[in-house]
């Protein structure tokens, strides 16, 4: 019985070493400095969220496109 356990343990050790040697090296996934969170805003007309740098602002409202800005202005002027 001891001999059988020895051979099983030896086989598992050999298999583990073989797998470790044949696997590609893992690259560490450290966060890069340019992965900063971007402020997001919500379009006042359609509700879509988009980066603040891509949005258009009118007073306190943000819009995803010029058309939505103009539609909302027309609705507020009524």
């Amino acid at each position: 019985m001891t001999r059988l356990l020895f051979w099983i343990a030896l086989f598992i050790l050999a298999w583990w070493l073989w797998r470790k040697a044949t696997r590609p090296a893992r690259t560490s996934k450290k966060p890069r400095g340019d992965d900063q969170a971007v402020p997001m805003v919500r379009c006042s007309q359609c509700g879509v969220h988009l980066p603040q740098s891509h949005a258009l602002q009118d007073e306190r409202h943000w819009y995803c496109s010029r058309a939505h800005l103009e539609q909302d202005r027309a609705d507020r002027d009524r």
Side-chain angles (χ1 to χ4, degrees), residues 1-75:
M1 183 68 174
T2 309
R3 196 179 271 168
L4 178 63
L5 291 175
F6 170 76
W7 286 110
I8 291 172
L10 186 63
F11 175 76
I12 290 173
L13 178 66
W15 179 77
W16 180 75
L17 288 172
W18 178 77
R19 291 276 294 165
K20 189 174 180 179
T22 58
R23 275 191 217 157
R26 292 183 182 179
T27 58
S28 63
K29 294 189 177 185
K30 295 180 182 175
R32 294 182 293 170
D34 61 338
D35 290 342
Q36 297 294 325
V38 178
M40 301 289 281
V41 293
R42 184 174 182 261
C43 177
S44 294
Q45 185 69 20
C46 67
V48 129
H49 288 87
L50 66 154
Q52 187 174 359
S53 61
H54 293 109
L56 302 169
Q57 185 178 15
D58 183 40
E59 297 174 6
R60 294 177 294 132
H61 302 281
W62 293 92
Y63 301 95
C64 62
S65 66
R66 172 72 59 194
H68 282 181
L69 186 144
E70 292 171 2
Q71 284 176 356
D72 200 42
R73 269 190 194 162
D75 290 345

